[in-house]
Amino acid sequence: MAGAIASRMSFSSLKRKQPKTFTVRIATMDAEMEFSCEVKWKGKDLFDLVCRTLGLRETWFFGLQYTIKDTVAWLKMDKKVLDHDVPTEEPVTFHFLAKFYPENAEEELVQEITQHLFFLQVKKQILDEKIYCPPEASVLLASYAVQAKYGDYDPNVHKRGFLAQEELLPKRVINLYQMTPEMWEERITAWYAEHRGRARDEAEMEYLKIAQDLEMYGVNYFAIRNKKGTELLLGVDALGLHIYDPDNRLTPKISFPWNEIRNISYSDKEFTIKPLDKKIDVFKFNSSKLRVNKLILQLCIGNHDLFMRRRKADSLEVQQMKAQAREEKARKQMERQRLAREKQMREEAERTRDELERRLMQLKEEATMANEALMRSEETADLLAEKAQITEEEAKLLAQKAAEAEQEMQRIKATAIRTEEEKRLMEQKVLEAEMLALKMAEESERRAKEADQLKQDLQEARESERRAKQKLLEITSKSSYTSMNSSTTALPTDLPSFNLISESLSFDFKDTDMKRLSMEIEKENSPYRAPSPAWPSSRSSRMRPAAPHHCCPLNGASPPHPYSIGVPQTGPGEPGIAPRCPAPPAAGCCQPLHADGLGCPRTV
């Protein structure tokens, strides 16, 4: 019983001792964290937890920001977290941001994490156009941002389009020029390639060094009104307070440096700035909300404290931090140098390896090519051997054809010679034929004339023959009549007188004309008595005289008798003298007529 009571008391005591907690979400510029906080925690407890988690020691620059009714507020360190006007829904969200900005980032920012958080916040403000940045400076800052993220430029790795998904330039700058994203990337890459060798913290510091010279860097703007009701802007930064025209946030109209301000206070919505110089009028203005005046005062106090702190000797904590930072920086520098040497050695080794691999590949390719060349050479040798054999056979065939061609050439030459000779002979024959034709034409013309003359003479001879026959008939009839009156015994003595009468009658003809006629007839008949079987080959053969007449006692050497044709040929039943040769048989002529039908040349 007692044990049960004791156990119930211990459980109830533990339940009472267990603290109540709530969840807090902390959003930094590059991460989010969640913590379980006790209800009694103050703002400093949560802030220290976040700083320890991040490893941040330069805590005076940062704060936890939250938003309430469209107004920005900062978590107070001496006030409980849940006592602020924060949303009651869990998790309660706070943004871990830089609340105050350094005058010189390179000298004041010691830790690398501090630099990185400032770099991310300033970069976001420039891209969101909360800080005005000229286009040229925007491109340069973008190149340092790329160097901080990607390291050294490597054209083999960072190819065209690797910045396509990156937000590096303000939209105002992009819209100001008619340039494509590829053109902007090309310009940024050109600057980026020149930052080779810079580490991430160095590139981020170069970014902050350029950004801190911008007019709107580290300035918190608040809308205010002066006594006349004119709308103005109050700017709070690390150097003091500034009054701006609403349309111009770059150049202040009035500035109050921290070392010239004696007192700052507010009463409800009225805010008062008392200069150190009493001759200068007190500047009063009104804000829209009381919460804004509280925020302005909070920022003024923090910036003024930092302003005075910078002008004093560093505290022991800051000195230790700077010493550690220098040592860390030196260590990192040595580490970077070692890494650079190792990288260089590795690059050299890789280059050597690549060279050896390339050489090996080259040797392999050369070996492959050599093997292929050897195989091709063997194939070529086989082909050449086969071709040589074929060529040898072709050479034999060509030699045989050459011999045949030589023989054919000799034959053609001989044929050509014969052809030339035949050509000359044919030309000569053609010439002779032409001459013969010409002579034959002349001879034909002459013969035609002679034939005409002979026809005329023949006509005259026939007329003379007719007259002679008529006279002969007359004489014969007269003689018959006389002899019938005379006695028949006187016939032998009268025979000579008959012959005489005949002889006297024969002399009545034209002796000269008959001779000429007989000669012409003989001349006409002489070419046709012995014709040659073929065309005469020469003029001498064509002009050869006719064969001699074998029945003539003179062996055909003399022309026929002129009176042979004058003897009338008595046909059967016709009276007249028989056409028989008057020569005695001893003379060798026993035929009554010659083969050509003419009388013997001895016929008188």
Side-chain angles (χ1 to χ4, degrees), residues 45-305:
D45 299 327
L46 179 60
F47 182 76
D48 291 341
L49 176 62
V50 174
C51 292
R52 286 194 304 270
T53 304
L54 293 175
L56 180 67
R57 297 181 64 183
E58 296 173 282
T59 58
W60 49 86
F61 291 110
F62 297 92
L64 293 174
Q65 186 186 82
Y66 63 96
T67 303
I68 181 68
K69 297 180 181 180
D70 299 331
T71 303
V72 174
W74 295 89
L75 189 67
K76 295 180 180 179
M77 299 292 108
D78 55 351
K79 189 176 181 180
K80 290 183 178 181
V81 175
L82 295 179
D83 290 343
H84 293 77
D85 295 332
V86 295
T88 56
E89 296 85 2
E90 293 187 13
V92 181
T93 303
F94 293 96
H95 295 277
F96 188 82
L97 298 173
K99 187 177 181 180
F100 307 105
Y101 290 82
E103 294 181 23
N104 189 333
E106 187 176 12
E107 293 181 359
E108 296 183 41
L109 301 181
V110 179
Q111 285 186 293
E112 184 177 346
I113 181 63
T114 308
Q115 297 178 10
H116 182 63
L117 293 174
F118 265 100
F119 162 75
L120 295 177
Q121 184 168 338
V122 172
K123 175 185 172 184
K124 188 174 187 309
Q125 289 176 345
I126 291 175
L127 294 178
D128 293 342
E129 299 183 15
K130 293 180 179 179
I131 298 177
Y132 173 79
C133 184
E136 295 80 4
S138 299
V139 175
L140 181 59
L141 291 175
S143 66
Y144 278 114
V146 173
Q147 177 70 22
K149 182 174 182 179
Y150 290 97
D152 292 338
Y153 173 71
D154 187 356
N156 297 324
V157 177
H158 308 114
K159 297 182 180 179
R160 182 182 295 272
F162 77 104
L163 297 179
Q165 304 300 325
E166 297 290 337
E167 186 180 4
L168 300 172
L169 297 172
K171 292 182 180 180
R172 175 185 54 80
V173 175
I174 295 174
N175 297 330
L176 190 62
Y177 298 93
Q178 294 180 354
M179 296 175 62
T180 62
E182 291 78 13
M183 297 171 68
W184 285 114
E185 179 180 338
E186 184 178 356
R187 294 194 62 181
I188 293 172
T189 305
W191 284 101
Y192 167 45
E194 297 182 2
H195 304 330
R196 185 177 183 83
R198 293 183 182 273
R200 191 193 74 171
D201 57 336
E202 294 177 347
E204 291 176 350
M205 182 54 67
E206 292 296 328
Y207 190 100
L208 292 174
K209 286 166 65 175
I210 296 172
Q212 72 184 2
D213 294 332
L214 300 176
E215 288 81 357
M216 296 177 67
Y217 167 79
V219 181
N220 294 290
Y221 292 94
F222 301 94
I224 60 173
R225 292 183 180 181
N226 58 12
K227 293 181 180 180
K228 298 179 180 181
T230 305
E231 293 184 355
L232 299 171
L233 288 177
L234 174 67
V236 183
D237 64 1
L239 298 177
L241 299 175
H242 310 281
I243 307 300
Y244 296 89
D245 188 85
D247 297 331
N248 184 5
R249 297 191 179 193
L250 301 179
T251 305
K253 298 174 65 175
I254 304 173
S255 294
F256 299 96
W258 293 121
N259 56 354
E260 296 179 5
I261 297 176
R262 182 180 54 173
N263 187 17
I264 298 175
S265 62
Y266 72 92
S267 175
D268 196 10
K269 295 182 180 180
E270 186 180 59
F271 202 93
T272 305
I273 300 175
K274 296 181 179 180
L276 187 63
D277 189 358
K278 295 182 179 181
K279 296 180 180 181
I280 300 175
D281 296 336
V282 176
F283 184 79
K284 294 183 180 181
F285 60 87
N286 295 322
S287 62
S288 58
K289 297 178 181 179
L290 177 61
R291 188 180 296 106
V292 174
N293 282 340
K294 293 181 179 179
L295 179 59
I296 292 172
L297 182 61
Q298 187 179 2
L299 291 175
C300 289
I301 293 172
N303 279 295
H304 183 268
D305 291 342

Side-chain angles (χ1 to χ4, degrees), residues 196-455:
R196 185 177 183 83
R198 293 183 182 273
R200 191 193 74 171
D201 57 336
E202 294 177 347
E204 291 176 350
M205 182 54 67
E206 292 296 328
Y207 190 100
L208 292 174
K209 286 166 65 175
I210 296 172
Q212 72 184 2
D213 294 332
L214 300 176
E215 288 81 357
M216 296 177 67
Y217 167 79
V219 181
N220 294 290
Y221 292 94
F222 301 94
I224 60 173
R225 292 183 180 181
N226 58 12
K227 293 181 180 180
K228 298 179 180 181
T230 305
E231 293 184 355
L232 299 171
L233 288 177
L234 174 67
V236 183
D237 64 1
L239 298 177
L241 299 175
H242 310 281
I243 307 300
Y244 296 89
D245 188 85
D247 297 331
N248 184 5
R249 297 191 179 193
L250 301 179
T251 305
K253 298 174 65 175
I254 304 173
S255 294
F256 299 96
W258 293 121
N259 56 354
E260 296 179 5
I261 297 176
R262 182 180 54 173
N263 187 17
I264 298 175
S265 62
Y266 72 92
S267 175
D268 196 10
K269 295 182 180 180
E270 186 180 59
F271 202 93
T272 305
I273 300 175
K274 296 181 179 180
L276 187 63
D277 189 358
K278 295 182 179 181
K279 296 180 180 181
I280 300 175
D281 296 336
V282 176
F283 184 79
K284 294 183 180 181
F285 60 87
N286 295 322
S287 62
S288 58
K289 297 178 181 179
L290 177 61
R291 188 180 296 106
V292 174
N293 282 340
K294 293 181 179 179
L295 179 59
I296 292 172
L297 182 61
Q298 187 179 2
L299 291 175
C300 289
I301 293 172
N303 279 295
H304 183 268
D305 291 342
L306 287 176
F307 180 82
M308 301 303 296
R309 183 176 179 176
R310 294 185 194 101
R311 282 145 183 83
K312 295 179 181 178
D314 292 334
S315 62
L316 181 61
E317 181 183 5
V318 174
Q319 291 179 5
Q320 291 177 353
M321 288 172 54
K322 288 185 176 181
Q324 292 177 359
R326 286 193 295 270
E327 292 176 0
E328 185 69 17
K329 190 174 182 178
R331 185 185 65 78
K332 288 185 177 181
Q333 185 68 23
M334 293 177 63
E335 185 69 17
R336 281 197 293 268
Q337 292 178 357
R338 184 180 64 80
L339 291 175
R341 287 194 301 270
E342 291 180 355
K343 184 178 180 181
Q344 183 178 2
M345 293 174 64
R346 185 175 67 252
E347 289 177 353
E348 291 179 355
E350 289 178 354
R351 284 196 297 269
T352 304
R353 184 194 63 191
D354 295 340
E355 181 65 23
L356 292 175
E357 289 179 353
R358 186 184 64 80
R359 181 60 179 166
L360 180 60
M361 293 296 296
Q362 184 178 359
L363 291 175
K364 287 182 178 179
E365 291 177 358
E366 290 177 357
T368 304
M369 293 173 64
N371 290 331
E372 293 177 355
L374 180 60
M375 294 177 64
R376 287 195 300 270
S377 299
E378 292 177 354
E379 294 176 357
T380 305
D382 296 339
L383 292 174
L384 289 175
E386 184 178 355
K387 190 175 181 180
Q389 184 178 359
I390 296 173
T391 305
E392 186 176 358
E393 294 177 358
E394 290 179 352
K396 291 180 180 179
L397 292 175
L398 290 174
Q400 184 178 356
K401 289 182 179 181
E404 294 176 355
E406 185 67 24
Q407 294 177 1
E408 185 68 19
M409 188 182 296
Q410 295 297 331
R411 187 183 62 78
I412 291 172
K413 286 182 179 179
T415 305
I417 294 172
R418 289 196 300 271
T419 304
E420 290 293 331
E421 293 177 356
E422 292 176 356
K423 184 178 180 181
R424 286 195 298 272
L425 291 175
M426 290 299 294
E427 290 177 354
Q428 184 177 358
K429 288 180 180 181
V430 169
L431 183 60
E432 291 177 355
E434 291 177 354
M435 293 176 65
L436 181 59
L438 184 60
K439 289 181 180 181
M440 290 293 292
E442 294 175 354
E443 187 70 18
S444 297
E445 185 178 357
R446 186 180 63 78
R447 294 285 179 87
K449 292 180 180 180
E450 290 178 356
D452 294 339
Q453 185 65 35
L454 288 174
K455 286 180 181 179

Side-chain angles (χ1 to χ4, degrees), residues 500-516:
L500 181 60
I501 293 169
S502 300
E503 186 176 356
S504 63
L505 288 174
S506 65
F507 281 102
D508 291 338
F509 301 128
K510 293 181 180 180
D511 297 336
T512 307
D513 294 336
M514 294 300 293
K515 288 179 181 181
R516 185 169 58 82

Side-chain angles (χ1 to χ4, degrees), residues 572-591:
E574 285 187 1
I577 303 171
R580 183 177 296 275
C581 181
C589 182
C590 60
Q591 300 295 330

